[in-house]
Amino acid sequence: MHCSDSDFSVFTLLPPFNDLNAQLVVGGKLADSGYTITYEATAAPDGSLNSVSHTKTNFWNYALPLFGVSPSLDIGLTGNPMASSKPAPLTWESQFNWFEASGIPITPIDDNMHENYFPMVKVTAYDGTNKAIASTTAVLPVSSEINCGTCHASNTGNPAAKPVSGWVNLPLGSEKDWRMNILRLHDEKNANTANYTSLLTQKGYGSSLESSAVTGKPVLCDTCHNSNALAVWGISGVPGVSSMTAAMHNRHANVTLPGQTQTLDSIGTRDACYNCHPGKKTQCLRGAMGNPTNSNGNHTMECQSCHGSMLTVGNKARNGWFDMPTCQSCHHDGVRETVAINADGTFKTWNDIRFASNPNTPAQGWSLFRFSTGHGNLQCEACHNSTHAEFTDKPSANDNQANDNLRAIQAQSYAAAIRECTVCHATMPSSVNGGPHGMHNLGQSWVNSHPDAFGTTPKTNCYYCHGTTSAGSSLAVIKVAKTFNIDDGGAKTFAAGERVTCWSCHDGPNP
Ligand code: HEC
Ligand code: HEC
Ligand code: HEC
Ligand code: HEC
Ligand code: HEC
Ligand code: HEC
Ligand code: HEC
Ligand code: HEC
Ligand code: HEC
């Protein structure tokens, strides 16, 4: 989910900037630069199409004063176009073995001017003779639902956020209103900070951020506050000034919503984070970890289960965007923890790496999922989708979120981590443990051949995923109904969601 401001005339935290990465498998092999891949706008199943941007945002009016460049309408900051009816190319990136189009300037408004945070693109692969050989659809999730106005809007906001010199009182409900209030408050709060005046001059903002915006030069917050999200593109802040993540999460840890007493830091659920991250409507946290609920109907995992609270995220010692939880903080030894983080802000670690992201990826000391590769050198995301939208057979009720799962459904006909071997392999491989995470091949051929596997594989290797008892384990679940022939003309049918155990077809592992 990429956040983007919906008004650029006052200040910006984030420009419209979605990244699309694609990998191509041809005949069971990961393909490279010998192919061409394109993206274009395509309608979601509900008909929503998003094929133009400049009519929906004032980004192009302010790109020059904000970012020092003036891309043509519908062209993003790295030169890639908005998805449209005209296919645009992705470029081969050998470092990651993927094709990429960075910085696609998409907005959360579809062509009928309705909000849609899950717009879709069609991705098509062509071979050396320009023949289309494969295509799929993917979501470019985007939202501008940053609800700063809840607390920073004139009069209706939190009195604790009211500038000493009063609210700016621009027309009620206008986005400029709360944005101007934020600049006024920032100017007041930092008036006595040693180098504030000189920083303003240095960055071309005159005597104050507010006056600069009023006179037509909007503010790029990250020109003073470093954000590693923009630093990788060459926009870094001023050394010594707090990073954007530390500044925002610390300053807002102890604030409350208007009329309430509970601080954001003490709210233990995603509701706290959805005050700025998108959001109550958008629900950027969805998928396999976001949707599940416990017996009380509460979410099993919240943002804090993985990232910690506001103060933990705002810890100045953290390297924002890089010091992150990992899948293996929770998924280890056949277990699924529901909390990834320790009380001291470090992440849980275990020795088991079956479900681990790669060490020192993309650089020393980090282990980022979005750059990691697994089976067949494929990106983890190729089979799982992006971090907060993991493919799952338990989608949430929000129809648009179902768009996330379409790519998996197109590949293997059902929503779940992509596992059907013949999605990628021209013929069913024969393997006891050479599949993703040490899986065997699937289907009747495996049912027939598994008794022969035990010459080389101890049965204990099966127990990691299948469990040791007739109760089985959640690591070996059939996601779509399947029927296998077993003995003497008999058959065993598994329902979708049923566990496969060594008792399902015969009396345990020693029939
Ligand atoms: C839940 C209410 C709430 C929300 C939501 C909120 N703020 Fe604030 N914000 C406050 C309060 C209250 C203060 C004043 C805090 C203080 O005086 O310690 C503040 C202070 C600030 C300051 C002044 C910082 C300083 O001291 O220099 C800035 C800048 C700011 N907020 C920006 C934002 C932005 C941008 C957003 C949205 C991404 C946002 N706020 C969302 C309540 C909120
Ligand atoms: C001209 C430089 C400059 C710009 C531009 C700027 N800030 Fe600041 N900001 C500072 C300085 C300096 C401080 C105080 C020192 C520090 O936080 O390191 C500060 C403090 C803050 C704080 C309080 C930090 C804390 O820990 O209490 C927040 C929040 C904040 N800024 C948010 C923003 C937002 C949001 C924007 C864009 C609307 C912005 N800033 C633009 C220089 C800037
Ligand atoms: C007051 C607004 C606000 C609230 C509330 C808020 N965030 Fe953020 N968050 C931001 C902004 C702004 C950024 C972008 C920082 C940047 O550009 O580097 C951000 C970035 C992040 C990042 C990525 C950067 C990093 O530090 O790694 C994480 C993770 C994050 N937030 C987690 C959370 C969690 C978890 C919560 C709830 C407990 C939360 N945030 C609540 C404003 C907020
Ligand atoms: C905070 C702990 C935690 C973290 C971190 C975590 N998971 Fe999970 N994961 C769980 C739990 C708990 C479940 C079982 C949820 C349920 O259905 O009740 C789960 C379920 C899953 C499933 C099965 C989903 C299904 O519908 O069958 C997949 C796949 C998965 N996680 C992948 C990942 C990946 C990939 C990562 C890293 C990007 C990750 N998880 C990080 C706790 C976590
Ligand atoms: C199940 C664990 C989990 C939960 C729940 C979770 N996150 Fe994350 N989040 C991660 C992981 C893991 C990463 C790092 C991804 C990587 O390594 O590439 C991440 C990364 C981020 C980033 C950086 C951008 C990105 O996508 O890499 C932001 C911002 C963020 N999370 C905010 C949130 C917010 C806000 C919530 C709640 C609404 C939340 N997260 C809930 C695991 C989680
Ligand atoms: C070729 C497809 C593929 C790739 C690539 C892939 N996975 Fe998986 N992943 C799967 C399948 C299939 C499952 C379900 C296996 C199971 O339930 O035993 C799974 C399950 C998981 C789970 C959840 C285990 C559970 O408790 O259900 C995690 C965590 C996970 N993978 C992490 C990763 C990480 C990290 C990477 C990259 C380093 C990765 N995966 C790469 C296919 C893949
Ligand atoms: C999403 C695509 C994808 C899926 C699904 C997938 N594989 Fe693969 N697999 C690959 C790729 C790519 C390679 C690397 C082939 C190469 O470069 O030689 C590979 C390699 C292998 C290898 C190494 C030997 C070889 O063929 O080169 C085995 C064994 C294997 N896969 C088994 C499986 C099994 C079993 C399953 C199903 C449980 C499976 N794979 C599912 C893409 C996939
Ligand atoms: C990495 C996890 C994992 C390991 C290890 C594992 N399995 Fe499985 N097994 C699965 C999953 C997941 C399924 C369900 C696949 C599907 O969707 O059909 C499955 C399905 C099966 C099936 C039904 C066939 C099918 O296609 O669904 C049999 C039989 C089976 N496993 C036997 C074994 C035996 C015997 C071993 C040990 C040699 C073993 N498994 C090891 C994950 C595993
Ligand atoms: C989908 C049905 C199915 C599942 C699930 C299944 N098996 Fe089997 N298994 C069979 C069939 C069919 C045979 C061959 C006929 C027989 O011996 O009953 C067999 C035979 C065996 C044999 C050889 C028995 C002999 O007398 O030679 C062993 C050992 C075995 N299975 C172990 C396992 C283990 C361990 C698991 C769980 C990880 C498992 N099976 C899960 C269907 C299954």
Side-chain angles (χ1 to χ4, degrees), residues 222-234:
D222 295 350
T223 194
C224 292
H225 297 279
N226 182 63
S227 164
N228 286 332
L230 295 189
V232 295
W233 298 104

Side-chain angles (χ1 to χ4, degrees), residues 11 13 146-152 158 160-161 178 182 185-186 189-190 248 251-252 255-258 264 275-276:
F11 72 77
L13 286 162
I146 47 169
N147 298 308
C148 319
T150 316
C151 299
H152 288 284
N158 186 335
W178 61 257
I182 285 176
L185 184 66
H186 186 283
K189 292 264 183 205
N190 300 300
M248 286 300 288
R251 172 51 88 201
H252 292 91
V255 306
T256 66
L257 286 159
L264 295 188
N275 285 304
C276 301

Side-chain angles (χ1 to χ4, degrees), residues 379-403:
Q379 292 293 316
C380 309
E381 295 193 331
C383 297
H384 288 289
N385 216 26
S386 54
T387 317
H388 303 99
E390 303 274 347
F391 293 138
T392 174
D393 55 334
K394 299 168 223 107
S396 99
N398 182 330
D399 275 341
N400 273 329
Q401 290 187 31
N403 291 0

Side-chain angles (χ1 to χ4, degrees), residues 109-363:
I109 316 278
D110 75 10
D111 292 354
N112 289 323
M113 299 310 269
H114 294 140
E115 275 175 335
N116 180 1
Y117 312 115
F118 305 91
M120 307 212 62
V121 289
K122 181 178 175 196
V123 178
T124 310
Y126 300 84
D127 67 10
T129 68
N130 234 8
K131 186 171 138 230
I133 52 169
S135 79
T136 188
T137 57
V139 179
L140 292 184
V142 58
S143 178
S144 56
E145 198 193 354
I146 47 169
N147 298 308
C148 319
T150 316
C151 299
H152 288 284
S154 296
N155 307 311
T156 58
N158 186 335
K162 182 181 176 180
V164 178
S165 56
W167 299 112
V168 300
N169 275 316
L170 291 175
L172 203 63
S174 100
E175 186 162 344
K176 289 190 178 53
D177 172 72
W178 61 257
R179 288 181 178 270
M180 283 294 187
N181 277 322
I182 285 176
L183 294 191
R184 183 174 288 186
L185 184 66
H186 186 283
D187 286 330
E188 287 179 357
K189 292 264 183 205
N190 300 300
N192 296 325
T193 305
N195 55 347
Y196 192 56
T197 312
S198 62
L199 279 175
L200 288 172
T201 317
Q202 186 191 324
K203 299 292 180 182
Y205 294 132
S207 59
S208 68
L209 296 181
E210 187 184 358
S211 65
S212 180
V214 168
T215 53
K217 183 174 163 59
V219 174
L220 174 62
C221 308
D222 295 350
T223 194
C224 292
H225 297 279
N226 182 63
S227 164
N228 286 332
L230 295 189
V232 295
W233 298 104
I235 302 171
S236 48
V238 174
V241 177
S242 55
S243 70
M244 182 44 76
T245 181
M248 286 300 288
H249 297 105
N250 280 326
R251 172 51 88 201
H252 292 91
N254 293 318
V255 306
T256 66
L257 286 159
Q260 295 191 13
T261 52
Q262 213 180 357
T263 63
L264 295 188
D265 201 51
S266 63
I267 300 175
T269 67
R270 63 191 72 183
D271 289 349
C273 317
Y274 279 170
N275 285 304
C276 301
H277 290 271
K280 289 190 181 64
K281 281 193 287 172
T282 309
Q283 297 174 47
C284 64
L285 174 57
R286 53 208 195 278
M289 268 64 66
N291 294 340
T293 50
N294 60 26
S295 53
N296 300 327
N298 298 324
H299 286 116
T300 313
M301 287 164 277
E302 299 286 4
C303 317
Q304 291 88 340
S305 314
C306 294
H307 293 285
S309 67
M310 295 283 293
L311 282 172
T312 308
V313 178
N315 185 339
K316 286 198 157 79
R318 269 191 75 237
N319 204 345
W321 303 92
F322 297 133
D323 292 342
M324 288 295 187
T326 59
C327 313
Q328 62 270 28
S329 304
C330 291
H331 291 275
H332 68 97
D333 303 291
V335 175
R336 295 157 158 182
E337 310 280 337
T338 54
V339 178
I341 191 163
N342 297 308
D344 66 0
T346 58
F347 298 107
K348 292 180 182 167
T349 53
W350 315 90
N351 291 329
D352 178 24
I353 55 161
R354 188 188 289 257
F355 292 111
S357 47
N358 310 152
N360 302 319
T361 302

